[in-house]
């Protein structure tokens, strides 16, 4: 691959192939929608809706970057035809405000129901875990399981006692 194209070219090609999915997911999980997805090749991955000014990702908020990264991850997961129908995700909304966390969970619920994907969602945030449980437990015991993994107490040096 590196002999026929550069890393930038291959990245742009891969991004272009999932761009519409990323854009659709980003629009659903990013609130307020002050940004939309830009073009990877133009140097502005996000575009302000008001003035259409393109931006690199670093000047936008942490939550907006998280929404974009999650959108890319979920679009890649959805486009992987030969991959197992599983989404493994660990504290995906740690730096996201409550409204965007709700939007993200609503999207994951659609993925679970319509995308026929099994979702493994890990979080240390008890509020988020309770919200996730509340949104998904209607699926019943055959389709929703909560697994609590207790933390081992740490010793005086901060290491887990095993």
């Amino acid at each position: 691959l590196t002999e026929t194209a550069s890393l930038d070219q291959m990245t742009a090609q891969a991004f272009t192939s999932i761009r519409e999915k990323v854009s659709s997911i980003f629009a659903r999980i990013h609130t307020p929608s002050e940004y939309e997805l830009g073009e990877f090749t133009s140097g502005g991955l996000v575009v302000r809706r008001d003035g259409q000014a393109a931006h690199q990702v670093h000047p936008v908020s942490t939550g907006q970057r998280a929404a974009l990264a999650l959108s890319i991850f979920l679009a890649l997961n959805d486009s992987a035809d030969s991959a197992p129908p599983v989404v493994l995700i660990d504290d995906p909304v740690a730096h996201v405000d409550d409204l965007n966390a709700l939007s993200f969970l609503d999207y994951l619920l659609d993925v679970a129901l319509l995308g026929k994907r099994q979702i493994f969602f890990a979080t240390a945030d008890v509020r988020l875990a309770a919200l996730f449980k509340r949104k998904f437990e209607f699926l019943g015991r055959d389709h929703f399981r909560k697994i609590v993994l207790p933390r081992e107490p740490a010793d005086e040096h901060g290491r887990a006692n095993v």
Side-chain angles (χ1 to χ4, degrees):
L1 287 175
T2 57
E3 292 177 9
T4 60
S6 71
L7 179 59
D8 286 343
Q9 290 170 322
M10 294 305 293
T11 304
Q13 181 181 350
F15 185 75
T16 299
S17 71
I18 61 167
R19 186 187 186 292
E20 291 307 313
K21 286 181 185 181
V22 173
S23 184
S24 173
I25 296 167
F26 187 62
R28 284 199 55 201
I29 69 173
H30 169 246
T31 305
S33 56
E34 68 180 297
Y35 291 101
E36 61 187 12
L37 193 62
E39 295 294 331
F40 181 80
T41 55
S42 69
L45 197 50
V46 291
V47 177
R48 286 191 67 87
R49 288 183 183 270
D50 57 6
Q52 296 297 306
H55 293 282
Q56 290 291 330
V57 177
H58 64 275
V60 301
S61 75
T62 304
Q64 291 160 332
R65 284 193 303 266
L68 180 60
L70 288 168
S71 300
I72 293 169
F73 166 77
L74 291 166
L76 284 168
N77 183 276
D78 186 54
S79 67
D81 295 331
S82 62
V86 174
V87 175
L88 275 165
I89 198 156
D90 182 13
D91 256 337
V93 290
H95 301 289
V96 175
D97 62 45
D98 291 346
L99 181 59
N100 286 308
L102 283 170
S103 296
F104 178 70
L105 291 181
D106 286 341
Y107 181 80
L108 274 186
L109 188 56
D110 286 350
V111 168
L113 295 173
L114 304 173
K116 298 189 179 3
R117 297 213 185 276
Q118 186 171 10
I119 298 172
F120 291 86
F121 186 96
T123 184
D125 182 335
V126 293
R127 286 180 50 231
L128 182 61
L131 181 60
F132 187 90
K133 179 182 178 200
R134 199 160 195 193
K135 283 197 161 289
F136 285 78
E137 70 184 342
F138 79 92
L139 295 170
R141 293 183 59 77
D142 290 340
H143 298 347
F144 175 80
R145 297 258 167 79
K146 176 183 176 184
I147 301 169
V148 178
L149 302 174
R151 293 179 179 253
E152 296 294 327
D155 64 14
E156 66 275 1
H157 302 291
R159 296 181 299 241
N161 292 321
V162 191

